[in-house]
Amino acid sequence: MGEASETHTGWTFLTSHARVLAAIAEDRRTRIRDIAVRCRLTERAVQKIIADLEQDGYLTHTREGRTNAYRIQPGTILRHPAEAGMTVDVLLSALAQQDAQRDAPLALPRERDSAR
């Protein structure tokens, strides 16, 4: 469970940092092990990404018993100049909306009016 179940070669549209942030947004008490599985990364890679996000002010954590509780700083501006002005909460909202649409049960096509 600690290692990524599938590897991917080549480029992807979302960075690993965005994937980890989205996993934390879904469950702020999630374990590094669970993030790694979800994002198909190693636990070590997730630890490094979380450290990056904390260092740059996107994320903080507090210790709660034996687990960490993460807090995303929603108003933080994304780093790349192409996303100038876009905040973390806008990005996470878009990703959450996509997840909701993907996970929603398929809508059945409406039956045609049989009177025609």
Side-chain angles (χ1 to χ4, degrees):
M1 190 172 179
E3 292 296 316
S5 60
E6 296 177 27
T7 58
H8 175 79
T9 57
W11 64 274
T12 62
F13 283 98
L14 293 178
T15 67
S16 296
H17 284 66
R19 292 177 196 280
V20 168
L21 200 60
I24 291 170
E26 188 172 297
D27 179 3
R28 69 183 208 97
R29 289 186 178 88
T30 190
R31 298 178 307 168
I32 288 176
R33 173 177 295 173
D34 297 330
I35 296 169
V37 170
R38 176 181 171 165
C39 297
R40 298 185 175 149
L41 299 167
T42 63
E43 289 181 34
R44 186 174 179 104
V46 171
Q47 289 172 333
K48 170 73 170 101
I49 290 167
I50 288 173
D52 289 346
L53 293 169
E54 285 186 305
Q55 181 178 348
D56 288 344
Y58 292 92
L59 186 66
T60 60
H61 80 275
T62 55
R63 196 79 175 147
E64 292 184 358
R66 296 180 63 197
T67 62
N68 287 323
Y70 299 97
R71 185 174 193 292
I72 295 171
Q73 303 301 321
T76 308
I77 304 292
L78 300 182
R79 292 171 45 119
H80 197 280
E83 289 97 29
M86 181 184 271
T87 60
V88 168
D89 58 339
V90 171
L91 171 67
L92 293 174
S93 292
L95 293 175
Q97 182 179 11
Q98 168 57 30
D99 283 350
Q101 289 174 352
R102 181 188 63 218
D103 296 340
L106 294 175
L108 296 175
R110 291 194 289 185
E111 292 183 29
R112 293 182 183 243
D113 184 10
S114 58
R116 288 188 193 186

